Amino acid sequence: MNIHMNTNTLKYISLLTLTLQNAILGLSMRYARTRPGDIFLSSTAVLMAEFAKLITCLFLVFNEEGKDAQKFVRSLHRTIIANPVDTLKVCVPSLVYIVQNNLLYVSASHLDAATYQVTYQLKILTTAMFAVVILRRKLLTTQWGALLLLVMGIVLVQLAQTVTSPSGSSDSSSSSSSTGGGAASSSSAIPEQNRMLGLWSALGACFLSGFAGIYFEKILKGAEISVWIVNVQLSLLSIPFGLLTCFVNDASRIFEHGFFHGYDFFVWYLVLLQAGGGLIVAVVVKYADNILKGFATSLAIIISCVASIYIFDFNLTLQFSFGAALVIASIFMYGYDPSRSGPKTTAQTTGDEEKLLPRV
């Protein structure tokens, strides 16, 4: 009885945490990229998030090994150094995740938080596409219907914002010019808003998220390895790619202003928030099902929309609301599978997803 109550408590606490993390991350990224003052380099923030994930996962692996230093070192050696081929297979998702996270910062810089939150749900469609193509997985009729609803909802949301964007873009342009030009010419200027750049960045991030998730699932199929060890592998390989991205994209600004230019307490909070997101998903997957995860994502969209009205003067139109409602409905439809009944099926699904989802 106590075990059942503890599991339920953990389930709802993790879901609440995931909901808040999803909503707050989008809002925080938008605020951090549009607030006045020195703007930090997003490539460095992505790299710092990888360092934070690596340190956290190393601690969790150490805890899994009974806080025994020798067992901890042997476990890392056995899974990472002694299996170089398996470790190198993780190079592909490591690179993809770095590019994806950089694209998400670009998207958050040019799309309001509510539109960003809704549009990024298109990763459900790209994940489904790659699952069908790479894993030869069959989708239910309700899932195809959910994907159609998802696309319709996101199209409505984008069209709603296109109609209202001329005034918003001129405001942001004038604000940008009053602070001394675009982000390229001044590190303290608010970036000029480019909705199409934000949209394409979000779509690119969705595409990469779907590919990386399914590729990751394919290489881990049947592998007996701790989810935290997998995240250690990913972070170890992501860090060199992150460094390369920093110096390819922002070398001149890093040498001129410094690696941590524009960093303050809020930016460090954002780095830790982004790093913790994948780890929270790992806990949610262990204790919750798809319906509850869909509920968390849907609630995060609603929170982002309401908060955007008060924080960013977001104009919530009827068309945007209807589009967001379609997206929320599609999330529930896609996660619902009437054939999954009974504890055995749920446990098996949870085991498979636990390997896949912490980074997606």
Side-chain angles (χ1 to χ4, degrees):
M1 182 69 178
N2 286 336
I3 294 174
H4 180 68
M5 288 178 63
N6 288 337
T7 302
N8 273 339
T9 303
L10 282 171
K11 175 169 67 176
Y12 290 111
I13 288 175
S14 59
L15 280 170
L16 177 63
T17 308
L18 178 65
T19 302
L20 293 175
Q21 194 272 344
N22 278 346
I24 294 171
L25 180 61
L27 294 166
S28 299
M29 288 175 71
R30 175 65 178 172
Y31 174 73
R33 300 301 291 168
T34 57
R35 61 179 178 163
D38 293 335
I39 297 177
F40 67 98
L41 298 174
S42 58
S43 58
T44 65
V46 171
L47 180 60
M48 288 299 100
E50 291 302 325
F51 273 111
K53 287 175 189 174
L54 177 60
I55 293 168
T56 304
C57 289
L58 284 172
F59 173 78
L60 290 169
V61 172
F62 180 70
N63 192 59
E64 271 189 343
E65 298 298 333
K67 299 180 181 178
D68 186 319
Q70 288 186 339
K71 289 176 66 178
F72 169 69
V73 172
R74 281 199 301 268
S75 176
L76 292 179
H77 182 272
R78 183 176 64 254
T79 54
I80 298 174
I81 300 172
N83 289 295
V85 176
D86 290 341
T87 301
L88 286 174
K89 286 179 182 177
V90 185
C91 276
V92 175
S94 297
L95 174 60
V96 169
Y97 284 128
I98 286 290
V99 177
Q100 174 195 330
N101 287 332
N102 276 283
L103 286 175
L104 288 178
Y105 268 107
V106 175
S107 180
S109 300
H110 297 281
L111 293 178
D112 59 80
T115 306
Y116 162 84
Q117 188 76 264
V118 174
T119 305
Y120 190 47
Q121 301 313 311
L122 201 62
K123 64 185 178 181
I124 298 171
L125 172 64
T126 59
T127 303
M129 286 169 44
F130 283 114
V132 171
V133 173
I134 297 176
L135 300 180
R136 306 296 181 187
R137 187 171 294 164
K138 294 185 182 296
L139 299 183
L140 301 172
T141 305
T142 53
Q143 290 178 315
W144 285 114
L147 295 176
L148 180 62
L149 273 185
L150 177 69
V151 173
M152 288 171 57
I154 290 174
V155 167
L156 282 174
V157 165
Q158 289 297 330
L159 288 177
Q161 294 310 101
T162 302
V163 171
T164 59
S165 64
S167 60
S169 60
S170 63
D171 290 342
S172 63
S173 298
S174 61
S175 171
S176 178
S177 60
S178 67
T179 55
S185 60
S186 172
S187 63
S188 62
I190 299 173
E192 185 175 347
Q193 304 296 281
N194 185 333
R195 181 163 291 279
M196 284 306 297
L197 177 59
L199 172 60
W200 283 110
S201 298
L203 293 178
C206 290
F207 182 86
L208 293 176
S209 174
F211 170 74
I214 295 303
Y215 176 90
F216 202 26
E217 182 177 0
K218 188 174 179 65
I219 65 174
L220 286 179
K221 209 72 173 177
E224 293 296 329
I225 186 171
S226 162
V227 70
W228 308 123
I229 286 284
V230 173
N231 276 270
V232 169
Q233 289 178 319
L234 281 167
S235 292
L236 278 174
L237 293 168
S238 294
I239 287 169
F241 290 130
L243 279 169
L244 183 64
T245 304
C246 288
F247 288 101
V248 167
N249 291 342
D250 302 309
S252 59
R253 281 178 284 183
I254 289 174
F255 288 126
E256 182 181 354
H257 301 291
F259 191 87
F260 295 108
H261 176 72
Y263 274 64
D264 57 12
F265 175 80
F266 188 83
V267 176
W268 283 112
Y269 142 82
L270 180 60
V271 165
L272 294 176
L273 184 66
Q274 188 177 30
L279 306 180
I280 293 170
V281 174
V283 178
V284 172
V285 165
K286 187 169 184 177
Y287 294 105
D289 57 23
N290 280 328
I291 302 298
L292 289 173
K293 292 201 295 286
F295 178 77
T297 305
S298 304
L299 191 56
I301 292 174
I302 296 169
I303 292 172
S304 294
C305 291
V306 174
S308 294
I309 295 172
Y310 294 100
I311 299 173
F312 303 113
D313 296 324
F314 173 67
N315 181 25
L316 185 64
T317 64
L318 183 62
Q319 185 175 336
F320 183 98
S321 302
F322 184 61
L326 287 180
V327 171
I328 290 171
S330 73
I331 293 170
F332 279 101
M333 277 184 65
Y334 190 82
Y336 176 68
D337 183 355
S339 66
R340 287 181 184 175
S341 57
K344 184 177 180 181
T345 307
T346 305
Q348 184 178 352
T349 304
T350 301
D352 290 341
E353 287 179 338
E354 191 175 346
K355 296 173 188 172
L356 168 64
L357 286 174
R359 298 282 300 224
V360 181

